[in-house]
């Protein structure tokens, strides 16, 4: 879902560059509370994992593919503030090192994936937290729904940016319909990957799953019982 | 004992990321993603010696060339070489880990017992 340079005009790029910058500063200030000797290395690895999985475009329709955005994934594993920084770092590495995603488009891309994607993924996950704490199935369902919605709403971010300052080439109605339709399909893949990853981590180290922190959940009790 | 378990878990996590970027990346679909599909809506893409040509009217015609499109790792290759996606992916995982891990290590609260469930 990486925008190239030129898809929106310069004022729009600047506007969302400013939005992204403010959000990243806020995230950096708030992330500190969630980072300690144990969670900092975990967050670094989650970032590297998102980079890796974003390389895997999966087919959704003939001639069209999608890839993980990771908003719900990082929000559930490391929390919204650290998660924002995870996705932003991935986007910066992709743009600067791999020419994937435009440079002037970094603001819009960070807004769509590191702001909207993470916030929506986290909000849905928190709303469903009672379900997530009930066990493995509940956690998987929570992760799936949060990831599905983070994908669709992040796609709406592009629609808004195109509406504000799109360079043209397609009607807003067409962009809206196609973005939502295609990302509903991609969201299913995002949901499956997110649910699989989160439950795999929770199966071995539920204490490293931010969403389960401090919870009286069977997932944590079971792991504590088997700890040496 | 927990420190050893945590290290083992983190190394396992890293191994999965390296496997995905270095191996599974070869299985990735080459088709445009959702947003690129929307951007190409209305255009016919034809491959020419000068690269891809877009005929018709679509959003992607406004896309400008990436300023770093000739960088050594552009488009997830090493120097543009065929079959180097896995190596580019492994380098990307390492760079991302060092950047993110370094930033989070600097930002972390020091001298505080890890917040956990009494299993620290």
């Amino acid at each position: 879902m990486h925008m190239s340079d030129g898809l929106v005009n310069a004022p729009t790029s600047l506007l969302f560059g400013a939005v992204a910058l403010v959000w990243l500063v806020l995230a950096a200030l708030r992330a500190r509370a969630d980072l300690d000797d144990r969670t900092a290395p975990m967050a670094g690895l989650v970032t590297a994992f998102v980079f890796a999985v974003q390389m895997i475009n999966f087919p959704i329709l003939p001639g069209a593919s999608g890839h993980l955005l990771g908003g719900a994934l990082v929000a559930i594993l490391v929390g919204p503030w650290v998660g924002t920084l995870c996705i932003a770092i991935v986007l910066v590495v992709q743009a600067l090192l791999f020419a994937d995603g435009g440079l002037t488009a970094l603001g819009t891309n960070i807004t769509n994936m590191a702001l909207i994607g993470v916030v929506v993924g986290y909000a849905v996950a928190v709303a469903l937290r009672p379900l997530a704490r009930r066990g493995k199935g509940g956690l998987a369902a929570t992760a799936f729904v949060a990831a599905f919605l983070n994908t669709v709403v992040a796609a709406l971010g592009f629609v808004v940016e195109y509406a504000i300052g799109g360079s043209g080439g397609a009607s807003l109605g067409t962009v809206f319909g196609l973005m939502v339709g295609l990302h509903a399909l991609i969201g299913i893949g995002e949901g499956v990957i997110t649910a699989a990853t989160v439950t795999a981590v929770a199966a071995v180290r539920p204490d490293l799953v931010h969403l389960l922190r401090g919870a009286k959940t069977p997932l944590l009790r079971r792991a504590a019982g088997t700890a040496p | 004992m927990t420190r050893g378990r945590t290290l083992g878990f983190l190394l396992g996590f890293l191994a999965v990321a390296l496997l995905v970027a270095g191996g599974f990346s070869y299985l990735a679909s080459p088709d445009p993603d959702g947003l690129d599909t929307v951007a190409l809506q209305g255009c016919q893409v034809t491959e020419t010696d000068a690269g891809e040509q877009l005929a018709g009217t679509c959003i992607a015609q406004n896309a400008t060339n990436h300023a770093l499109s000739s960088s050594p790792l552009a488009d997830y290759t090493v120097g543009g070489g065929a079959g180097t996606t896995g190596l580019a992916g492994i380098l990307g995982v390492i760079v991302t880990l060092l950047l993110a891990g370094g930033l989070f290590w600097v930002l972390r609260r020091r001298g505080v017992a890890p917040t956990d469930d009494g299993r620290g």
Side-chain angles (χ1 to χ4, degrees):
Chain A
M1 188 148 104
H2 300 53
M3 292 166 64
S4 310
D5 290 325
L7 302 188
V8 295
N9 60 28
T12 309
S13 296
L14 274 174
L15 169 67
F16 286 97
V19 170
L21 192 62
V22 169
W23 181 247
L24 290 183
V25 169
L26 184 64
L29 294 173
R30 302 293 293 271
R32 210 173 140 71
D34 286 333
L35 290 167
D36 57 37
D37 287 358
R38 206 176 42 120
T39 54
M42 170 71 178
L45 276 164
V46 167
T47 313
F49 179 76
V50 170
F51 171 86
V53 179
Q54 283 205 358
M55 287 183 73
I56 316 300
N57 279 59
F58 47 84
I60 52 164
L61 287 174
S65 71
H67 63 73
L68 179 86
L69 305 185
L73 177 74
V74 296
I76 292 171
L77 289 180
V78 296
W81 305 113
V82 177
T84 288
L85 300 178
C86 291
I87 303 292
I89 289 167
V90 168
L91 293 172
V92 167
V93 167
Q94 288 167 333
L96 294 184
L97 235 49
F98 296 91
D100 183 17
L103 299 177
T104 61
L106 252 179
T108 49
N109 283 329
I110 288 174
T111 301
N112 295 343
M113 290 180 263
L115 197 173
I116 300 175
V118 172
V119 166
V120 170
Y122 185 69
V124 175
V126 167
L128 296 177
R129 185 152 51 190
L131 173 67
R133 286 175 171 176
R134 278 164 62 172
K136 192 182 173 189
L139 181 62
T142 299
F144 181 91
V145 175
F148 175 83
L149 289 173
N150 94 232
T151 309
V152 175
V153 183
L156 290 176
F158 173 70
V159 178
V160 170
E161 289 144 15
Y162 187 77
I164 292 174
S167 302
S171 76
L172 189 58
T174 303
V175 171
F176 172 80
L178 282 174
M179 280 302 283
V180 171
L182 290 170
H183 288 88
L185 295 173
I186 295 170
I188 296 172
E190 175 111 13
V192 169
I193 295 168
T194 303
T197 304
V198 169
T199 52
V201 173
V204 281
R205 291 301 301 268
D207 56 308
L208 287 176
V209 178
H210 188 277
L211 190 70
L212 300 176
R213 190 180 283 180
K216 287 188 166 52
T217 164
L219 288 164
L220 277 168
R221 274 202 298 276
R222 194 153 52 235
T226 57
Chain B
M1 197 58 217
T2 304
R3 181 174 293 175
R5 287 183 66 227
T6 300
L7 184 62
F9 169 79
L10 294 176
L11 287 175
F13 207 169
L14 176 61
V16 172
L18 290 171
L19 180 68
V20 170
F24 293 177
S25 53
Y26 289 99
L27 304 174
S29 165
D31 289 329
D33 73 6
L35 192 147
D36 286 334
T37 302
V38 175
L40 289 166
Q41 187 70 22
C43 279
Q44 294 278 345
V45 183
T46 49
E47 298 284 345
T48 67
D49 292 342
E52 288 185 347
Q53 297 293 317
L54 301 177
T57 306
C58 62
I59 298 172
Q61 284 166 321
N62 298 305
T64 52
N65 205 13
H66 201 290
L68 303 171
S69 58
S70 55
S71 80
L73 293 173
D75 296 324
Y76 300 91
T77 60
V78 179
T84 55
T85 299
L87 181 57
I90 288 172
L91 291 173
V93 165
I94 293 169
V95 169
T96 307
L97 176 63
L98 292 177
L99 260 180
L103 175 71
F104 295 141
W105 193 252
V106 169
L107 283 179
R108 84 191 192 283
R109 290 169 305 137
R110 266 152 272 208
V112 186
T115 53
D116 67 1
D117 318 281
R119 300 178 52 229

